[in-house]
Amino acid sequence: MAVHIHNPNFLHTHQLRSSLTSASASPASNHFTRFSPAKHPGFICKSNNKDDYLIDAPVSAGDGFSFSGGKYSDQPSPSDEWLKQGKWVKAHRVGGSGAEAKDPIFGLTMGSSSQASKDVFRWFCVESGKVDSPPVILIHGFPSQAYSYRKALPVLSKNYRAIAFDWLGFGFSDKPQAGYGFNYTLDEYVSSLESFIDEVATTQVSLVVQGYFSTAAVKYARNRPEKIKNLILLNPPLTPEHAKLPSTLSVFSSFLLGEIFSQDPLRASDKPLTSCGPYKMKEDDAMVYRRPYLTSGSSGFALNAISRAMKKELKDYTEEMRTSLMDKDWKIPTTVCWGQRDKWLSYQGVEEFCKSSGHNLVELPMAGHHVQEDCGEEIGGLISRIISKSALM
């Protein structure tokens, strides 16, 4: 894979050669509807690749609202192994009146996974590296999980304390029903990010953020520049044309249809991750991403709320981010890494923006929107080099 690095004045171009291993396995096509018999029948179905699925998962597996329930198998799953590597961090106070959350369709009391914590939200994060090493915070995009950085974490841990976390509403972090403690607005994501970073790091941090959530991270960096050592943006929405969600994501903002689609893990997880670039998801990885949707309706309802907020606020936040990054008083060392096979955000205008703003640009010809999925180990090494080079300046 050719990696083209542009300096601010675009006088030189360097090429780094690295190999990119693309996963050939595709997600399983099996999709089962969740039944609710009085007693778990223990039916087993075989998929084409001989992985076992249970048609009906025990009630303990979720809140009973998911339209697409079920459980991968009774054996340890990839998501179990991922959970073992992580921990929950408490950060950002819960808002609202403390009333029990009701579902938006029937008005019934939601399961525990849709209820807000009593006082402070729980964030799932995976940390790698020595505690006293310089911290690097890895922020996933919309929609994804901290799991997307699984290949970059071991590379970064050699020299840094790398921390990847799930945003509220994603993965294994808290997912309160919108209107009951958290509304999933971009302003709330900015303030909650500040709370999380203050909780996990007392020193300056290097921020790596992917996709649409770059808008929230840049606003945080503008508000707290003394806290940021480096800012690395992976396929952020940089042009006015980027300030609109693709149909794959905007469908979740639709009334009723959005609620239905968001409860289907293939639509809510697999399709958004694989339709925006060359990424081919392995079944083991797919089961980690699907797990939150399979065990509870809360992930889908959070996805609805986030999509509606993004659809309403993304244009203003993108323009605000452009203004901040173009400001002559912006002093944070900033690098844009761009996967050129992104099917959601066009590369047109990106090079011109970086040239006029004076920010470094790294082109990744073989990567798509979710750069860390397409070249995880390579992006880990690239992040390390960018941070170490900045430290020498």
Side-chain angles (χ1 to χ4, degrees):
M1 181 185 71
V3 181
H4 305 286
I5 303 179
H6 299 254
N7 65 12
N9 57 20
F10 282 72
L11 294 177
H12 300 88
T13 299
H14 306 280
Q15 290 191 344
L16 303 176
R17 296 289 176 178
S18 59
S19 61
L20 172 62
T21 303
S22 60
S24 58
S26 60
S29 59
N30 301 69
H31 182 208
F32 298 96
T33 303
R34 186 175 199 163
F35 300 97
S36 301
K39 186 177 180 181
H40 186 283
F43 296 142
I44 300 289
C45 288
K46 293 286 187 178
S47 66
N48 293 334
N49 61 1
K50 298 183 180 181
D51 288 324
D52 291 344
Y53 290 82
L54 297 181
I55 289 182
D56 180 49
V59 174
S60 60
D63 62 11
F65 199 89
S66 177
F67 295 145
S68 305
K71 186 181 178 185
Y72 182 62
S73 78
D74 280 334
Q75 301 301 315
S77 70
S79 58
D80 292 330
E81 296 304 312
W82 176 245
L83 284 169
K84 288 178 182 178
Q85 296 180 43
K87 63 181 180 181
W88 278 268
V89 172
K90 287 189 174 183
H92 197 63
R93 295 200 65 82
V94 175
S97 63
E100 284 193 328
K102 309 287 185 180
D103 80 73
I105 300 178
F106 305 110
L108 302 174
T109 300
M110 301 291 288
S112 59
S113 59
S114 291
Q115 303 295 340
S117 300
K118 296 298 181 183
D119 50 3
V120 181
F121 288 115
R122 299 188 318 148
W123 305 60
F124 178 76
C125 68
V126 173
E127 184 174 327
S128 186
K130 296 180 180 179
V131 176
D132 56 352
S133 295
V136 179
I137 310 292
L138 304 171
I139 305 176
H140 70 78
F142 170 54
S144 188
Q145 296 179 25
Y147 185 71
S148 62
Y149 288 104
R150 63 195 175 279
K151 294 179 181 178
L153 281 166
V155 179
L156 289 167
S157 67
K158 296 175 183 178
N159 299 302
Y160 303 98
R161 177 192 173 207
I163 304 169
F165 69 87
D166 289 334
W167 281 110
L168 295 177
F170 292 90
F172 302 97
S173 291
D174 281 352
K175 308 172 192 68
Q177 183 66 15
Y180 296 89
F182 198 78
N183 291 318
Y184 299 100
T185 65
L186 286 172
D187 279 350
E188 287 176 301
Y189 275 116
V190 173
S191 60
S192 63
L193 176 62
E194 181 175 9
S195 299
F196 177 81
I197 293 177
D198 284 346
E199 183 65 31
V200 299
T202 57
T203 61
Q204 277 193 316
V205 302
S206 293
L207 280 188
V208 180
V209 56
Q210 189 268 330
Y212 295 103
F213 275 123
S214 298
T215 57
V218 168
K219 186 167 185 176
Y220 162 74
R222 189 194 68 186
N223 294 343
R224 295 286 304 276
E226 78 286 352
K227 190 74 175 178
I228 310 302
K229 191 170 186 179
N230 291 277
L231 180 64
I232 300 173
L233 305 175
L234 311 178
N235 283 57
L238 288 177
T239 72
E241 290 71 28
H242 293 164
K244 182 180 179 181
L245 288 179
S247 58
T248 306
L249 300 181
S250 63
V251 67
F252 299 117
S253 66
S254 303
F255 175 68
L256 193 56
L257 185 63
E259 271 79 13
I260 295 172
F261 282 1
S262 69
Q263 299 298 328
D264 180 347
L266 300 183
R267 284 185 178 272
S269 178
D270 293 32
K271 188 174 181 180
L273 289 171
T274 58
S275 65
C276 55
Y279 178 52
K280 302 296 182 182
M281 194 186 303
K282 294 181 179 179
E283 181 64 15
D284 280 355
D285 297 329
M287 292 317 300
V288 180
Y289 284 116
R290 294 172 192 163
R291 171 78 171 263
Y293 296 95
L294 289 169
T295 57
S296 170
S298 62
S299 295
F301 288 133
L303 181 59
N304 297 142
I306 298 162
S307 298
R308 287 162 186 156
M310 281 275 190
K311 190 173 182 180
K312 183 185 300 183
E313 302 169 1
L314 185 60
K315 182 178 180 180
D316 289 342
Y317 255 77
T318 299
E319 183 57 36
E320 188 175 347
M321 180 176 74
R322 284 172 51 84
T323 300
S324 295
L325 293 176
M326 293 286 289
D327 194 328
K328 59 181 177 59
D329 292 327
W330 181 269
K331 303 301 182 183
I332 300 171
T334 302
T335 300
V336 174
C337 298
W338 197 272
Q340 293 182 300
R341 296 177 68 182
D342 190 334
K343 296 180 181 179
W344 284 352
L345 303 181
S346 170
Y347 183 64
Q348 185 175 357
V350 172
E351 185 174 342
E352 181 182 350
F353 175 84
C354 292
K355 183 178 181 179
S356 60
S357 62
H359 299 310
N360 293 325
L361 173 65
V362 179
E363 297 172 346
L364 304 167
M366 300 306 294
H369 184 70
H370 297 282
V371 176
Q372 67 272 38
E373 289 285 10
D374 294 315
C375 52
E377 293 179 358
E378 288 80 4
I379 204 68
L382 182 60
I383 292 167
S384 292
R385 292 191 292 274
I386 290 172
I387 296 174
S388 61
K389 182 178 179 180
S390 175
L392 299 175
M393 297 176 66

